Amino acid sequence: MSFSIVEFVKQQEPLFVGALTDQAVTWAKESQFAIQLFQKNDYLAKTAISNPTSAQNAIINVAAIGITLNPASKLAYLVPRDGSVCLDISYMGLLHLAQSAGCILWGQCKLVYENDTYESNGLDKAPTHKYNAFGERGPVVGGYCTVKTPGGDYLTEEMSLSEIKATEATSKAKNGPWKTFWEEMARKTIVKRASKYWPRTERLDNAIHVINEDEGVHSEPVMEHVPESEIMNAENARKEEVFNKAQSLCESMEASENMEDLKRYFKEAFLLTRGMKLQQNIQAVYAECKEKLEVTEA
């Protein structure tokens, strides 16, 4: 059986090389890691023999995503699941991909326990999380993932225990790693949801897709991350546009030759500046123009 597995893995070299996205991931090393995984897990090897297509796809995904099977790194594994060989990417693997692809500068994901002190400081700041690492922390009540983007923004995503459990209940892996490595799966769930708000990259998107396909998890729509600087620039541009439009309407009010035109321009300017201090200036200009017209018409 071992010989068959070795030959099978070696046959995947052309497909692996053709799908490779990260030159740091090499066939020479990854093929050996794959062979080691098959040889150490008889059930995994039997699954590959009975479903070679799934094993082939899992090996190709290693190259396409650009992640290593090196057991020392603990980033990704080949695992048997529902009669197929799947590429299982850990939460550390997702964070590693995000960092290497330039989505984030760094990131961390931690679980929060009942006896911890936890305080949320908003989505754009890291939370305050204090705990006794060597004491009794109680049961898990939730978790969070905080990352720093290349733009300098901090992004924090939090999940309650009930939200994590809801994901577990819909996963194909609920009777597998969710039973044996619950905390790791919980962290991966949090990181996956947090990644929806990070800058997008194809490698990370591919990794999330593979995880969702293999674990049968529904993927929520992605909300693209927009740096705070872009939001501020857009808001300033909008305010400038409103100011220029309001100024133009004030000039039109001053040039009005009758009350009907004056009121029409005033109404448009008043609605445009609703809720803004600028509206006071609009009202002052209108009052002045109205007074002049009343004198003229008299």
Side-chain angles (χ1 to χ4, degrees):
M1 180 180 295
S2 296
F3 177 79
S4 298
I5 283 297
V6 171
E7 289 301 310
F8 172 79
V9 171
K10 289 182 177 180
Q11 290 170 5
Q12 309 313 313
E13 181 176 3
L15 295 174
F16 182 97
V17 173
L20 196 59
T21 57
D22 184 354
Q23 297 305 314
V25 177
T26 65
W27 170 251
K29 292 182 179 180
E30 299 310 316
S31 61
Q32 291 304 308
F33 293 144
I35 290 171
Q36 289 173 19
L37 289 170
F38 284 123
Q39 290 179 334
K40 289 181 179 180
N41 188 331
D42 190 53
Y43 182 57
L44 176 64
K46 289 180 179 178
T47 303
I49 291 173
S50 62
N51 190 346
T53 300
S54 69
Q56 182 181 72
N57 289 337
I59 293 172
I60 293 172
N61 282 334
V62 171
I65 293 170
I67 196 165
T68 181
L69 293 173
N70 187 342
S73 300
K74 300 180 180 179
L75 302 181
Y77 312 88
L78 296 180
V79 299
R81 183 173 298 146
D82 292 340
S84 299
V85 175
C86 302
L87 174 63
D88 193 10
I89 303 170
S90 69
Y91 83 93
M92 290 187 293
L94 290 176
L95 288 172
H96 169 78
L97 283 172
Q99 285 180 283
S100 60
C103 298
I104 62 174
L105 296 180
W106 61 263
Q108 66 173 0
C109 181
K110 292 187 176 182
L111 297 180
V112 180
Y113 297 80
E114 190 174 54
N115 296 335
D116 295 356
T117 299
Y118 182 85
E119 182 179 351
S120 176
N121 296 316
L123 298 177
D124 59 344
K125 296 181 180 65
T128 302
H129 185 197
K130 298 180 180 180
Y131 55 89
N132 183 352
F134 308 107
E136 177 55 50
R137 298 174 64 185
V140 174
V141 294
Y144 66 94
C145 177
T146 296
V147 302
K148 184 176 183 180
T149 70
D153 300 319
Y154 287 90
L155 300 174
T156 296
E157 180 68 15
E158 299 164 325
M159 287 188 75
S160 66
L161 178 61
S162 61
E163 290 175 309
I164 296 172
K165 287 285 189 181
T167 299
E168 177 186 358
T170 62
S171 174
K172 289 181 182 178
K174 62 184 177 182
N175 294 319
W178 276 105
K179 295 292 185 184
T180 52
F181 303 102
W182 190 91
E183 292 186 351
E184 297 301 300
M185 293 298 289
R187 288 187 179 94
K188 182 162 70 171
T189 298
I190 298 167
V191 172
K192 279 171 53 184
R193 192 165 88 169
S195 70
K196 293 177 172 60
Y197 307 97
W198 303 345
R200 311 311 307 165
T201 67
E202 185 176 358
R203 285 176 63 192
L204 185 59
D205 286 345
N206 288 342
I208 298 294
H209 176 73
V210 166
I211 293 172
N212 289 339
E213 285 289 309
D214 289 341
E215 295 181 9
V217 179
H218 172 67
S219 179
E220 299 174 8
V222 172
M223 295 182 65
E224 186 172 353
H225 166 68
V226 179
E228 185 177 358
S229 58
E230 288 188 20
I231 296 175
M232 294 299 296
N233 289 339
E235 178 62 15
N236 290 336
R238 186 192 68 81
K239 288 181 179 179
E240 184 177 359
E241 183 179 357
V242 170
F243 178 82
N244 291 337
K245 178 65 175 176
Q247 187 175 33
S248 175
L249 289 169
C250 285
E251 292 173 355
S252 296
M253 282 194 287
E254 291 171 346
S256 297
E257 297 181 352
N258 56 68
M259 195 65 71
E260 183 179 350
D261 287 343
L262 175 62
K263 289 182 178 180
R264 176 162 53 84
Y265 292 129
F266 171 68
K267 180 180 180 181
E268 185 176 352
F270 187 83
L271 293 175
L272 177 69
T273 57
R274 178 177 292 172
M276 301 173 64
K277 290 184 178 180
L278 183 59
Q279 194 174 74
Q280 296 176 0
N281 296 339
I282 300 296
Q283 291 174 312
V285 171
Y286 171 72
E288 183 179 344
C289 293
K290 180 173 179 290
E291 184 178 353
K292 289 181 180 179
L293 279 177
E294 288 175 342
V295 171
T296 301
E297 292 178 354

